[in-house]
Amino acid sequence: MVALARKAQPPDEEASTFAADVLAGLAASPKRLAPKYFYDDAGSLLFERITELPEYYPTRCELAILRARAGDIAQLIPAGAALVEFGTGSTRKARILLRAARKLSCYVPVDISGDMLEREAAELRRDFPALPVLPVTADFTKDFALPDAARAAPARVGFFPGSTIGNFEPHEAAGFLAHAGRMLGPGAQLIVGVDLIKSADVLKAAYNDKAGVTAKFNLNLLKRINRELAGTFKLDTFEHHAFYNRERSRIEMHLASLKRQKVKVNGETIDFRAGETIHTENSYKYSVESLAALARGVGWQPAAAFTDPDQYFSIQVFRLGEESA
Ligand code: AVI
């Protein structure tokens, strides 16, 4: 599903980047692994299961906002604009916008996973026969070439749902927003789905589900290292930890070693103290204002913000350029 900042590179290079990143992360203090590595095939399926969990509200809330407010969002989109989705996994959310915004000139889903993109594009073409669907296989965090039709459109509107922005460090999130502005160009808009700051109990429950799917998702990273990098992690000696760091407005996910132990990865030995953790993910939560401040800092002006009745999640629309008086 989410292809967080993965590299568009040949499989061999991708494998050696994974190996180098894992070894560097496990040699660091504190130990860390990048969340982009969660999403192998098994991890992507586990994430899909997470989105259906009763405790995991973000996907449900975002879909509800999109369904309720697609007409309002569509009204903000200039006629003839190209819709560019950054990191499209499934097109489920885009479809809601596409149904409401009938005057788009084309839809450009961008993702690292070309196979999935082509499958989704074929289905979309069947369901929206009048809409040119122009997939681009690329790492959406890096520069990529937009199709001619999107470049020729009177404006480009970015779509970045799923609170994927929350998995970036704030400086990376600002960097991504600036990059999106450069890619989309003058007159652009950006529609961003962002999880909101809320009660720690609701947040903690969402990342510590009773069925243990999030724990499996987290531990799957060690399984992946065992499989792809000759790792010797014993999964029953590591435990999923997820907690809310209030000062930094983020859920942190860690894998804690239940004992002192040595683990091998690609022939290198890594020592763990009992209780030592590998930090695997941050999921930052924003307020409407704090995201707007970040976006303003790199040239975007807030145009609208939509939330669900509980104010759990938001869809925020930004425009490039001067703030209107
Ligand atoms: C993809 N991303 C927005 C999810 C999140 O909530 O930060 C990933 C996730 N991690 C644990 N559960 C879901």
Side-chain angles (χ1 to χ4, degrees), residues 149-168:
R151 284 214 301 268
R156 283 143 297 280
V157 176
F159 184 40
F160 193 40
S163 207
T164 302
I165 198 164
N167 295 127
F168 295 144

Side-chain angles (χ1 to χ4, degrees), residues 2 38-39 47 50 56 58 162-164 167 206-207 214 217 253 281-283 285:
V2 198
F38 281 140
Y39 301 94
F47 179 71
I50 287 175
Y56 193 78
S163 207
T164 302
N167 295 127
Y207 293 82
T214 311
F217 173 72
M253 292 214 312
E281 186 182 62
N282 287 321
S283 187
K285 309 304 168 188

Side-chain angles (χ1 to χ4, degrees), residues 18-206:
F18 179 49
D21 285 355
V22 167
L23 287 172
L26 294 179
S29 181
K31 293 179 170 53
R32 57 171 185 263
L33 291 169
K36 64 184 172 186
Y37 293 124
F38 281 140
Y39 301 94
D40 63 355
D41 289 347
S44 299
L45 285 174
L46 285 164
F47 179 71
E48 287 306 318
R49 281 178 61 196
I50 287 175
T51 64
E52 317 255 295
L53 291 167
E55 298 95 334
Y56 193 78
Y57 59 84
T59 312
R60 256 190 317 280
C61 288
E62 186 174 39
L63 285 168
I65 300 169
L66 276 173
R67 287 189 194 110
R69 308 307 293 268
D72 300 303
I73 299 170
Q75 282 207 332
L76 298 166
I77 297 178
L83 186 71
V84 179
E85 182 168 2
F86 294 96
T88 312
S90 120
T91 52
R92 186 173 176 200
K93 293 168 188 166
R95 279 168 178 272
I96 302 173
L97 279 187
L98 296 178
R99 252 177 251 123
R102 287 293 180 172
K103 289 187 186 147
L104 289 171
S105 58
C106 58
Y107 169 57
V108 182
V110 183
D111 201 281
I112 196 83
S113 166
D115 293 350
M116 170 129 181
L117 259 189
E118 288 304 334
R119 272 199 305 276
E120 292 280 330
E123 282 178 22
L124 269 180
R125 288 187 191 112
R126 208 187 45 217
D127 298 343
F128 296 83
L131 179 74
V133 177
L134 310 169
V136 173
T137 304
D139 174 352
F140 69 86
T141 65
K142 306 264 160 60
D143 286 351
F144 55 87
L146 281 172
D148 290 346
R151 284 214 301 268
R156 283 143 297 280
V157 176
F159 184 40
F160 193 40
S163 207
T164 302
I165 198 164
N167 295 127
F168 295 144
E169 291 303 305
H171 72 277
E172 294 168 340
F176 169 75
L177 293 172
H179 156 76
R182 284 192 303 272
M183 293 293 307
L184 298 170
Q189 296 190 7
L190 187 61
I191 303 164
V192 190
V194 188
D195 198 10
L196 295 176
I197 294 169
K198 60 184 65 62
S199 118
D201 290 343
V202 174
L203 286 168
K204 275 188 279 181

